[in-house]
């Protein structure tokens, strides 16, 4: 079966809104050429899947025949060999050891941290105060993930370093991953800042790990779970380097997704007063003025639809896989080592899966309508054996943080200050200025 070739290369770098629109237009337009389209990622040929059925096949049905692709090879030297970047037996072993840290009982305990951190943030607000909401969302995400990971005094130092460095690492890391290898060796300020931030984070995480080894106590945090974990098959634990790599994975994966989702949620609530009113009414009814708990999350039915809609509208741009052996997708044979690519953003905005895909509509996640969404069409956390291990943590965090804010405050856009968008792996709001108005 012949595979059509896309006209032109996939545009990679650039951080302006026009370039963002160009890239999204390009990946969205590929569905016009068929279910599988050959494109050039820079100078590398790849095969782009536009059909959600094939994405489900890639991630779930035939997931064992694929490993992470070229993009993740570029991440591995500076983020380590954690769950996001490891493959094969290493990945299966690490997932068995990390999974218990995200059991529902553990997340119920972390939910207390989530609610307290959100309440502490909003306690600092003053009526009529203008807030940079993207900065508040980033700070809150760092606090929650940091305190869930580290609960010791040494851990507090780590949290401050993470707060200082993580978003520089996230943004520049994607630029580096999408750039030719020689670029990272150039004497550029961005390279120096990135290398220094990675070195600082690596050093403080390893210091915390070594400090824990000397102490040996279970502090009830994620780090304790990682250090106490043993492989069911071998009885072996993780080395300091393995723990470091998993911590970096949790920081990178856990902070960016929730920070962006929180910021965009408040942006969309302000743009849709009818949605905002329904969220406020539900929060008032379920919480009755008390802080939210893990048990409350499933009762916040409409708020969860809002969160799903935000995750649909603002996902990562694209992800890659590489074939481990000859395999067929949609009747098309691929040789071992073939790079395959798909775009959550394009899938989430496909009108064949989502009517009026650019309209913010939380009710599309009502049970009846959600049941009609094709498999593979909604993949904010991936799917199959490589689905994000912290997806329930992230969804709980977003719901509890939004409910905590919504119980007391409305965030209203500042007139004449439109939000700007910058882009790396996902869309970042910039200049999301909103006025804090007490609800009661």
């Amino acid at each position: 079966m012949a595979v059509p070739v896309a006209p032109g290369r996939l545009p990679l770098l650039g951080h302006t809104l026009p370039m963002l629109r160009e890239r999204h237009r390009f990946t969205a337009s590929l569905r016009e050429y068929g279910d599988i389209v050959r494109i050039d990622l820079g100078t590398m040929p790849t095969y782009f899947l536009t059909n959600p059925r094939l994405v489900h096949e890639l991630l779930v049905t035939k997931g064992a025949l694929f490993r992470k692709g070229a993009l993740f090879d570029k991440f591995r030297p500076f983020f380590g060999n954690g769950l996001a970047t490891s493959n094969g037996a290493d990945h299966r072993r690490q997932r068995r050891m990390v999974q218990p840290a995200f059991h529902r009982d553990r997340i119920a305990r972390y939910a207390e941290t989530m609610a307290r951190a959100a309440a502490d943030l909003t306690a600092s607000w003053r009526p009529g105060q203008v807030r940079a909401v993207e900065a508040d969302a980033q700070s809150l995400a760092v606090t929650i993930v940091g305190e869930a990971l580290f609960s010791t005094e040494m851990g507090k130092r780590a949290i401050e370093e993470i707060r200082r460095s993580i978003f520089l690492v996230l943004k520049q890391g994607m630029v580096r991953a999408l750039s030719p290898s020689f670029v990272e060796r150039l004497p550029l300020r961005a390279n120096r800042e990135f290398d220094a931030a990675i070195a600082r984070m690596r050093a403080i995480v390893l210091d915390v790990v070594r400090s824990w080894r000397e102490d040996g106590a279970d502090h009830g945090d994620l780090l304790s779970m990682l250090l106490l974990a043993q492989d069911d098959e071998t009885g072996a634990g993780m080395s300091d380097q393995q723990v470091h790599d998993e911590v970096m994975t949790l920081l990178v994966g856990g902070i960016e997704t929730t920070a962006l989702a929180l910021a965009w949620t408040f942006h969309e609530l302000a743009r849709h007063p009818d949605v905002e009113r329904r969220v406020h009414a539900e929060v008032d009814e379920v919480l009755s003025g008390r802080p939210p708990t893990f048990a409350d999350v499933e009762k916040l039915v409409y708020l969860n639809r809002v969160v799903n809609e935000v995750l649909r509208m603002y996902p990562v741009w694209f992800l890659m896989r590489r074939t481990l052996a000859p395999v067929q997708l949609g009747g098309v044979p691929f040789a071992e080592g073939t790079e395959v690519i798909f775009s959550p953003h394009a899938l989430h905005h496909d009108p064949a899966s989502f009517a009026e895909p650019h309209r913010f509509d939380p009710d599309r996640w009502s049970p009846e309508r959600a049941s009609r969404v094709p498999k593979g069409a909604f993949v904010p956390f991936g799917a199959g054996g490589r689905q994000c291990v912290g997806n329930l943590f992230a969804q709980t965090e977003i719901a509890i943080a939004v409910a905590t804010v919504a119980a007391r405050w409305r965030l209203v856009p500042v007139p004449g200050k439109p939000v700007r968008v910058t882009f790396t792996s996902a869309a970042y709001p910039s200049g999301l200025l909103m006025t804090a108005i007490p609800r009661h």
Side-chain angles (χ1 to χ4, degrees), residues 260-395:
L260 293 177
L262 285 170
W264 288 122
T265 296
F266 294 120
H267 172 70
E268 293 293 348
L269 289 177
R271 292 179 63 235
H272 299 88
D274 55 330
V275 174
E276 182 186 56
R277 283 191 293 270
R278 289 180 65 179
V279 168
H280 288 165
E282 182 178 71
V283 166
D284 292 347
E285 179 181 355
V286 171
L287 302 185
S288 298
R290 59 175 174 76
T293 67
F294 181 64
D296 292 321
V297 173
E298 65 181 14
K299 301 173 186 175
L300 295 167
V301 175
Y302 186 69
L303 175 55
N304 286 318
R305 293 180 192 174
V306 170
V307 172
N308 264 355
E309 185 67 344
V310 169
L311 293 172
R312 183 190 69 82
M313 292 193 69
Y314 300 98
V316 298
W317 178 32
F318 74 91
L319 294 169
M320 297 183 71
R321 294 290 187 268
R322 180 184 298 142
T323 58
L324 285 169
V327 63
Q328 286 197 3
L329 290 174
V332 176
F334 294 104
E336 178 181 347
T338 302
E339 299 287 343
V340 180
I341 185 170
F342 67 96
S343 169
H345 188 276
L347 291 167
H348 292 189
H349 290 80
D350 186 347
S353 301
F354 301 99
E356 299 181 84
H358 296 283
R359 184 166 70 91
F360 187 76
D361 178 15
D363 282 328
R364 73 172 79 244
W365 298 106
S366 64
E368 180 184 357
R369 293 177 64 185
S371 67
R372 298 197 294 267
V373 175
K375 292 180 178 179
F378 181 58
V379 287
F381 298 102
R386 300 207 66 125
Q387 185 177 44
C388 175
V389 71
N391 62 324
L392 180 59
F393 183 104
Q395 290 169 298

Side-chain angles (χ1 to χ4, degrees), residues 75-214:
F75 284 135
R76 195 172 291 110
F78 38 88
F79 290 147
N81 198 39
L83 280 179
T85 53
S86 61
N87 287 292
D90 286 344
H91 180 267
R92 290 190 294 273
R93 174 181 180 272
Q94 288 300 104
R95 191 172 183 99
R96 285 197 306 268
M97 297 175 73
V98 172
Q99 189 76 55
F102 292 95
H103 189 275
R104 292 178 67 87
D105 292 342
R106 303 289 297 194
I107 292 177
R109 292 176 58 183
Y110 306 143
E112 299 173 9
T113 299
M114 298 170 186
R116 177 180 49 76
D120 288 347
L121 171 66
T122 58
S124 70
W125 295 358
R126 297 292 175 264
Q129 184 181 39
V130 173
R131 306 294 305 184
V133 173
E134 76 274 16
D136 279 341
Q138 291 174 3
S139 177
L140 181 58
V142 170
T143 298
I144 290 173
V145 173
E147 292 188 7
L149 268 167
F150 311 116
S151 61
T152 63
E153 286 301 314
M154 175 71 77
K156 293 178 182 177
R157 285 176 45 202
I159 294 171
E160 290 311 306
E161 182 55 59
I162 293 161
R163 198 180 304 280
R164 173 188 180 189
S165 302
I166 188 65
F167 286 97
L168 185 154
V169 166
L170 286 167
K171 293 178 181 180
Q172 290 300 323
M174 178 56 72
V175 172
R176 181 170 290 197
L178 294 177
S179 302
S181 297
F182 74 86
V183 173
E184 64 193 64
R185 298 191 292 271
L186 297 177
L188 304 174
R189 177 180 176 182
N191 284 340
R192 292 194 299 271
E193 290 178 345
F194 176 83
D195 291 339
I198 283 288
R200 290 194 305 268
M201 289 183 62
R202 180 179 293 122
I204 192 65
V205 170
L206 286 172
D207 280 349
V208 176
V209 170
R210 291 170 187 139
S211 172
W212 190 99
R213 295 280 194 201
E214 294 174 3

Side-chain angles (χ1 to χ4, degrees), residues 414-435:
V414 175
K417 299 289 184 180
V419 61
R420 302 184 304 278
V421 179
T422 58
F423 194 82
T424 53
S425 61
Y428 275 74
S430 179
L432 182 52
L433 301 177
M434 306 184 82
T435 304

